[in-house]
Amino acid sequence: GQNIDQPTEMTATEGAIVQINCTYQTSGFNGLFWYQQHAGEAPTFLSYNVLDGLEEKGRFSSFLSRSKGYSYLLLKELQMKDSASYLCAVRDAFGGGATNKLIFGTGTLLAVQP
Amino acid sequence: GAVVSQHPSRVICKSGTSVKIECRSLDFQATTMFWYRQFPKQSLMLMATSNEGSKATYEQGVEKDKFLINHASLTLSTLTVTSAHPEDSSFYICSARAPGQGGSPLHFGNGTRLTVT
């Protein structure tokens, strides 16, 4: 079966650093994605990991350990506009490349406080 | 960048009627599109994979006769919610993968807020 877990909610302070964890157990693996979603809007792509290690993109970094079924998203220099849901998603490995499904985790609602 | 357009953004309908939602890839061709549903404060649940020129693949528990999917061209997929009931009220989001991008992330439409009264 597919199981992707994240903390439900987190709170952090403006200017600080926050780490959002994601653990997964899936029948196949072909990459892990992080998305940001503001309330009532569509998700927007943040980062992608397919090999172990850290990927850095500006204030956002994402880490993957395939052997542990674990990833985290690191947000630095938090801003108020970072208050949103953060979704971890795993792409399965079945079928052709374009048909690989993206399975989403439960999402983490981050509240950034002044 | 890759753009996916979804229409309408918001619709209210009466129980028993049908509603059609359109999803278009504006600057790329998408042989495959994905339809998700999201209930309040929950994550995205994959409903079906829409394949251009062939039948859609539905996830377990999703009624194919209730959620009709048509993917007649490389840039358009439609989802029709037939005989809608209040429990179908949800946020429906389509997505497509633009070819050639690193990791090929899904790009999402802006979603359709469906309210069935």
Side-chain angles (χ1 to χ4, degrees), chain B:
Chain B
V3 177
V4 176
S5 175
Q6 189 171 339
H7 178 81
S9 59
R10 191 178 296 269
V11 59
I12 301 173
C13 70
K14 294 185 178 181
S15 289
T17 60
S18 295
V19 173
K20 180 185 283 189
I21 303 170
E22 293 187 347
C23 179
R24 296 181 185 273
S25 56
L26 296 186
D27 52 359
F28 64 97
Q29 295 182 332
T31 55
T32 303
M33 291 184 177
F34 302 89
W35 287 96
Y36 288 84
R37 180 168 55 184
Q38 187 176 33
F39 291 105
K41 297 186 178 181
Q42 296 187 21
S43 191
L44 281 75
M45 298 298 297
L46 180 64
M47 298 176 66
T49 302
S50 172
N51 304 300
E52 188 269 335
S54 65
K55 292 182 180 180
T57 305
Y58 290 82
E59 294 299 301
Q60 192 172 10
V62 178
E63 300 175 57
K64 62 179 181 180
D65 294 330
K66 179 170 182 62
F67 299 99
L68 301 179
I69 291 175
N70 184 284
H71 195 154
S73 77
L74 287 171
T75 58
L76 174 64
S77 174
T78 61
L79 169 69
T80 301
V81 183
T82 63
S83 186
H85 290 137
E87 55 264 33
D88 297 325
S89 298
S90 186
F91 192 49
Y92 293 86
I93 313 177
C94 72
S95 64
R97 181 171 294 124
Q101 293 186 338
S104 296
L106 285 182
H107 295 275
F108 288 86
N110 285 330
T112 298
R113 175 77 58 192
L114 171 63
T115 303
V116 184
T117 61

Side-chain angles (χ1 to χ4, degrees), chain A residues 42-55:
Chain A
T44 54
F45 169 69
L46 289 178
S47 69
Y48 165 70
N49 295 72
V50 68
L51 299 177
D52 291 350
L54 188 69
E55 294 286 339

